[in-house]
Amino acid sequence: MTALLTEKNGAARRPVHPGGPPPASRRRTGRERAYDDVPRWQIYLPLGLYLLFTLIPFYWMLLFALRPAGSTALVPWPMTGEHFSKVWNERSFAVFFQNSMIVGIATLIATTLVALAGGYALARFDFKIKGAFMLALLCSQFIPGALMLVPLFEIFRNLQMINSLWSVVIAETVFQLPLSIILISGFIKNVPVSLEEAAWVDGCSRFTAFRAVVLPLLRPGLIAVGSFAFVHSWNHFLFALMFLSEQDKQTIPVGLNTLIGADSVDLGALAAGGVIAAVPVVIVFAFIQKWLVTGFSAGAVKG
Amino acid sequence: MAQPAAVATPPPKAPRRGTATPRRLPYLLIAPAGLLMLGFIAYPVLSVFYYSLQNYNVTKPWRNGFAGLDNFRRIFTEDDQFRSTLAFSAQWVFTQVSLQLVLGLALALIVNQTFIGRGISRAMVFSPWAVSGVLTSTIWILLYNSSTGFSRYLADAGIGEYGTSVLSDTGTVFWAATVTELWRGVPFFAILILADLQSVSKELYEAASVDGAGRLRQFFHITLPHLRDAIILATLLRGVWEFNNVDLLYTLTGGGPAGETTTLPLYVANTGIEGHDFGYASALTTVAFVILLFCSIVYLRLSKFGGDDK
């Protein structure tokens, strides 16, 4: 990795090792400490309160998912798997899970590839319609997916793609693209052009140079963008609700909504379904957490 | 903002084969993205404008055809529901954006400090960011449930009373929904602000404390001005997002009780998808789009985005 990128990741990774020594760049001068020395209680008290607000709902869901029906204990003990086996088998969450995985992974691949091409063009070339293209990307942020449902539904009906998971993949990809392109072009701009030029001088084609020199340096950025795409399409509800009417084509959020809408809400099943919906995104989140802040500061905020 | 990108000149070597000459290469690279966006964003937007001038109802095909501005006349003169959903949308967006800004800024400032356990705290307070609207609703429906939810345990402890469901009471539903949306909205705001916060130079604070500026003055004279553009952009994007997003309210309250929490997009979705009145829904969409665009432009003008600070 180049110094540039290790430095960037270093900044984001630092908090992961809170006990570690302070980085060399931070001189502990008296003057600097004057700013940094916020009284500890002013950090831990509000943070603790906010953590309670964040974590109690998660705990609540786990509690309902794990304790037997009818129990009112505040600790899920004795534990039961009945709710999980119920939603997984009887409520077809096994099928929903598989569908959501297909949509998530296909959207991840499509978004990353298309955005990589577009981002490279924006980062490395000047071309006539570049300004217009940038404007289109920014403007599309203002166009509400929910308000496009009607025409999108029409389009997919004409393409005979209603009840095909691909309709959802296309719609998700399209709405992920603008932000992904902006993010990726931000990452590519961070890779010095001189690295590519050196490879060209050595006889590499533009593509080989890109693959051998730029691509490895983009890994953190691509992981961030791909993860956003996966998490978004995993979570997104409306497209799947509208384009997939057959039960065995539906995704997890739609499945959850049917549980919410059931006449007599089975809270245990609902909670178990929620846990199943949360697990993949929690895993992805834990994985990308250290790149999250860097990802935004490299790509989105500074444009 | 937009700096001229480095023009990467190709190496002086043998002429390239095929169509991928550097002159055409950028167009080739943006083609997939461009075509997808033309087909699935630009075309739908134009067709919304087109349908808005039509009578287009799947259940009443005999009436379909050109309607002129009739749909718009109906919206502005006859439709009481339009007015109430618009008012609720405004209230919802304003409440969410202002509270998310205050809480998100505070959260970002806290987790930007150095303290023991910072990494794990960051991961935990940011985690609702990854949670979907439907899942958020799911979790909070469990919390708000009148017989086994949180209120039951509070009632057991002598706070409040049994059997209150905050989601079906018109007096409490707004704040119940607001707290729910804040739960997952604040982390995203905090992440955006934290990203920008990390680029404030430490020297500025050093110089300020040498000059005897306290922490409060440092915040108002260094931190806040530095964050200005990020805050403007984040509030604008969040405003648009909170206006447009329907999945939380759709699943949490279904727009109820008694239409109390129906936003304009939710109303559009109900009219178009469930009521099958595509023409009228498209006219509503057009109006929503114009309102959104107008508010965004006014907001950017008033806030002088990217303007002459310093």
Side-chain angles (χ1 to χ4, degrees):
Chain A
M1 287 223 179
T2 61
L4 189 94
L5 279 181
T6 32
E7 195 181 288
K8 274 207 155 312
N9 290 333
R13 269 200 202 114
R14 197 180 304 149
V16 181
H17 310 289
S25 64
R26 280 182 54 86
R27 284 154 298 129
R28 290 244 159 194
T29 62
R31 276 174 293 158
E32 197 178 337
R33 287 190 61 84
Y35 172 73
D36 238 22
D37 255 0
V38 177
R40 296 292 97 175
W41 69 267
Q42 287 185 15
I43 292 176
Y44 288 118
L45 184 71
L47 186 67
L49 288 175
Y50 200 84
L51 272 175
L52 282 181
F53 175 54
T54 303
L55 297 180
I56 283 180
F58 281 123
Y59 178 75
W60 209 253
M61 176 171 68
L62 275 176
L63 179 70
F64 275 70
L66 290 174
R67 73 184 183 189
S71 160
T72 54
L74 280 174
V75 182
W77 196 262
M79 232 179 253
T80 170
E82 56 173 312
H83 303 304
F84 285 99
S85 62
K86 190 174 177 188
V87 288
W88 190 258
N89 300 319
E90 291 168 35
R91 301 294 198 147
S92 352
F93 265 61
V95 180
F96 300 155
F97 192 89
Q98 193 189 345
N99 290 340
S100 281
M101 271 293 164
I102 293 172
V103 168
I105 291 173
T107 306
L108 185 163
I109 295 171
T111 306
T112 315
L113 286 181
V114 177
L116 191 60
Y120 187 77
L122 281 187
R124 289 293 195 250
F125 294 99
D126 261 336
F127 50 98
K128 249 186 213 151
I129 57 165
K130 183 171 174 170
F133 187 61
M134 279 295 284
L135 194 68
L137 292 182
L138 292 176
C139 284
S140 65
Q141 295 298 301
F142 289 84
I143 298 169
L147 305 186
M148 307 263 289
L149 278 175
V150 172
L152 282 176
F153 185 85
E154 291 272 279
I155 292 175
F156 289 122
R157 200 174 57 188
N158 291 336
L159 293 174
Q160 307 207 326
M161 284 173 75
I162 295 296
N163 278 322
S164 155
L165 290 178
W166 296 110
S167 61
V168 181
V169 172
I170 291 176
E172 298 296 348
T173 303
V174 166
F175 282 89
Q176 288 303 306
L177 269 180
L179 191 64
S180 304
I181 292 178
I182 293 171
L183 279 169
I184 288 189
S185 86
F187 281 108
I188 295 179
K189 277 182 197 154
N190 277 339
V191 179
V193 188
S194 55
L195 284 179
E196 268 178 275
E197 284 169 344
W200 296 342
V201 172
D202 289 345
C204 288
S205 72
R206 191 182 272 276
F207 181 71
T208 323
F210 175 76
R211 205 190 53 202
V213 179
V214 183
L215 208 53
L217 297 174
L218 288 181
R219 202 165 4 176
L222 291 181
I223 291 174
V225 170
S227 311
F228 292 148
F230 178 84
V231 168
H232 270 277
S233 56
W234 179 271
N235 282 339
H236 201 255
F237 164 64
L238 223 48
F239 291 154
L241 179 75
M242 297 303 170
F243 305 153
L244 308 172
S245 54
E246 283 167 16
Q247 159 121 14
D248 63 346
K249 289 287 164 47
Q250 277 161 2
T251 57
I252 289 220
V254 185
L256 272 181
N257 186 52
T258 20
L259 288 185
I260 293 174
D263 285 340
S264 58
V265 181
D266 180 347
L267 294 175
L270 184 61
V275 174
I276 294 173
V279 164
V281 286
V282 166
I283 292 173
V284 171
F285 178 78
F287 186 57
I288 60 164
Q289 196 263 335
K290 60 187 174 194
W291 284 307
L292 207 57
V293 174
T294 337
F296 275 109
S297 55
V301 179
K302 287 173 201 155
Chain B
M1 280 228 308
Q3 262 129 31
V7 186
T9 40
K13 54 181 276 190
R16 287 162 182 284
R17 290 170 289 125
T19 51
T21 55
R23 186 166 283 278
R24 289 192 201 151
L25 185 58
Y27 295 100
L28 226 65
L29 288 172
I30 64 165
L35 290 178
L36 277 174
M37 286 170 61
L38 277 180
F40 295 94
I41 296 183
Y43 172 74
V45 167
L46 292 178
S47 61
V48 163
F49 296 154
Y50 172 75
Y51 288 148
S52 70
L53 302 174
Q54 305 279 320
N55 273 322
Y56 181 22
N57 191 327
V58 202
T59 56
K60 296 173 192 156
W62 60 91
R63 286 187 48 204
N64 289 354
F66 185 71
L69 296 174
D70 192 52
N71 285 326
F72 293 98
R73 185 192 57 76
R74 264 173 71 200
I75 292 176
F76 290 113
T77 58
E78 291 169 18
D79 194 342
D80 288 338
Q81 222 180 334
F82 166 75
R83 252 164 280 167
S84 64
T85 57
L86 186 63
F88 177 73
S89 289
Q91 184 191 8
W92 177 252
V93 170
F94 180 78
T95 315
Q96 280 302 328
V97 172
S98 50
L99 289 179
Q100 283 181 24
L101 172 63
V102 173
L103 292 172
L105 182 60
L107 191 60
L109 287 171
I110 291 170
V111 296
N112 194 40
Q113 303 292 327
T114 337
F115 60 90
I116 297 164
R118 179 169 82 162
I120 188 80
S121 316
R122 270 192 192 179
M124 286 193 292
V125 294
F126 288 165
S127 55
W129 166 82
V131 171
S132 67
V134 184
L135 184 51
T136 306
S137 303
T138 302
I139 293 175
W140 285 82
I141 282 172
L142 296 170
L143 270 165
Y144 287 148
N145 184 277
S146 55
S147 56
T148 55
F150 207 63
S151 66
R152 175 207 171 95
Y153 295 92
L154 286 180
D156 279 344
I159 309 164
E161 52 195 73
Y162 282 96
T164 50
S165 177
V166 286
L167 288 176
S168 50
D169 183 337
T170 50
T172 50
V173 66
F174 177 75
W175 289 106
T178 299
V179 169
T180 307
E181 176 67 5
L182 283 178
W183 181 74
R184 90 179 156 139
V186 169
F188 182 77
F189 225 107
I191 291 171
L192 278 180
I193 293 179
L194 180 64
D196 204 42
L197 209 52
Q198 295 193 327
S199 65
V200 193
S201 131
K202 289 271 180 209
E203 276 82 49
L204 280 176
Y205 293 112
E206 280 184 45
S209 56
V210 170
D211 291 345
R215 272 170 49 215
L216 214 57
R217 286 193 56 172
Q218 290 181 10
F219 173 74
F220 281 109
H221 288 98
I222 301 173
T223 314
L224 220 46
H226 178 89
L227 290 177
R228 210 187 79 164
D229 276 3
I231 286 178
I232 292 172
L233 204 59
T235 46
L236 180 64
L237 286 176
R238 283 312 274 183
V240 171
W241 199 86
E242 293 296 349
F243 180 85
N244 286 331
N245 183 42
V246 299
D247 51 359
L248 183 109
L249 287 173
Y250 183 91
T251 49
L252 188 70
T253 66
E260 196 79 9
T261 56
T262 303
T263 57
L264 189 50
L266 205 49
Y267 179 44
V268 172
N270 284 338
T271 313
I273 304 290
E274 274 156 39
H276 299 291
D277 196 345
F278 283 6
Y280 195 62
S282 299
L284 285 170
T285 303
T286 309
V287 172
F289 186 65
V290 169
I291 292 173
L292 207 56
L293 206 63
F294 178 77
C295 292
S296 304
I297 291 170
V298 168
Y299 180 75
L300 285 177
R301 276 284 154 82
L302 287 180
S303 60
K304 297 195 182 72
F305 176 65
D308 47 348
D309 47 332
K310 280 154 225 163

